[in-house]
Amino acid sequence: WEVASMGGLACGWEPVGVYKALKNQRTETILRGLRARLYPGGLLPKGHDTARRLLTMARNGGRIAMLADLQDRRGAVIPFFGRDAYATLFPASIACAAQVPLIACRVVRLPHSRFRIEARVVEFERTGDRRSDAERATRAYHDLFEAWIREHPRQWMWIMRKWR
């Protein structure tokens, strides 16, 4: 998933990355060191202070990179591969609150250690009701993810429980 950030760098952007901090401080330090060059706009641990900073950054034209297929029991339950799945509303909530496009990206592995990075604007109706707009957007990008996964099922990796 870090390869997707390289697409932003190639466009001259300075993406901001969001990640879940590790409990092991030594491993955390190593991982931050490896990821830092991919996120010159900053690498921020998930949390309430980060959420406020990201909203400000998005409103000011910043590019934010985060995993959008994460499970979040406080988010929404949406259909994914025909079963109800937990989904985070956070990426869509930021896009709705900042009134910016929501862009989904994927990385397709190619032969000979090459990759193709694809990005697509996620289309969804914006009514002004942030919660329902975020849920619609989350459903829309999960529909897109499902189509992408069906296209290249061997390239999808999931290490946490997605379904209830």
Side-chain angles (χ1 to χ4, degrees):
W1 49 86
E2 307 298 352
V3 174
S5 160
M6 292 178 181
L9 293 172
C11 291
W13 298 346
E14 292 190 2
V16 175
V18 180
Y19 76 105
K20 182 177 179 181
L22 302 175
K23 292 178 183 174
N24 181 306
Q25 191 55 50
R26 189 175 200 188
T27 306
E28 167 74 5
T29 301
I30 292 168
L31 188 60
R32 282 185 64 80
L34 291 171
R35 289 178 163 168
R37 68 180 181 81
L38 299 173
Y39 303 100
L43 189 55
L44 308 175
K46 184 173 110 176
H48 293 294
D49 291 339
T50 295
R52 285 190 287 275
R53 288 179 66 189
L54 291 175
L55 182 56
T56 299
M57 288 175 181
R59 285 181 172 150
N60 291 326
R63 272 59 174 219
I64 302 163
M66 64 182 92
L67 295 176
D69 64 347
L70 298 176
Q71 175 207 79
D72 183 353
R73 292 179 187 266
R74 297 165 301 170
V77 176
I78 61 162
F80 193 55
F81 287 98
R83 295 179 56 203
D84 284 346
Y86 292 110
T88 180
L89 295 173
F90 188 66
S93 296
I94 291 289
C96 291
Q99 298 180 350
V100 297
L102 179 62
I103 300 170
C105 297
R106 74 169 170 171
V107 176
V108 178
R109 277 180 266 177
L110 303 171
H112 311 295
S113 302
R114 295 175 38 241
F115 302 91
R116 181 177 64 241
I117 302 169
E118 298 176 5
R120 197 172 291 170
V121 174
V122 177
E123 300 292 342
F124 63 98
E125 180 185 4
R126 294 180 190 241
T127 65
D129 178 338
R130 284 188 192 171
R131 173 73 187 199
S132 67
D133 290 354
E135 286 181 14
R136 261 192 302 288
T138 301
R139 280 188 185 89
Y141 66 68
H142 272 75
D143 288 348
L144 178 58
F145 291 164
E146 186 174 329
W148 281 347
I149 293 163
R150 287 183 188 280
E151 188 179 339
H152 298 284
R154 291 186 194 163
Q155 296 194 20
W156 188 54
M157 181 184 80
W158 182 253
I159 58 172
M160 296 177 218
R161 290 183 69 179
K162 180 69 175 171
W163 291 272
R164 309 193 306 156

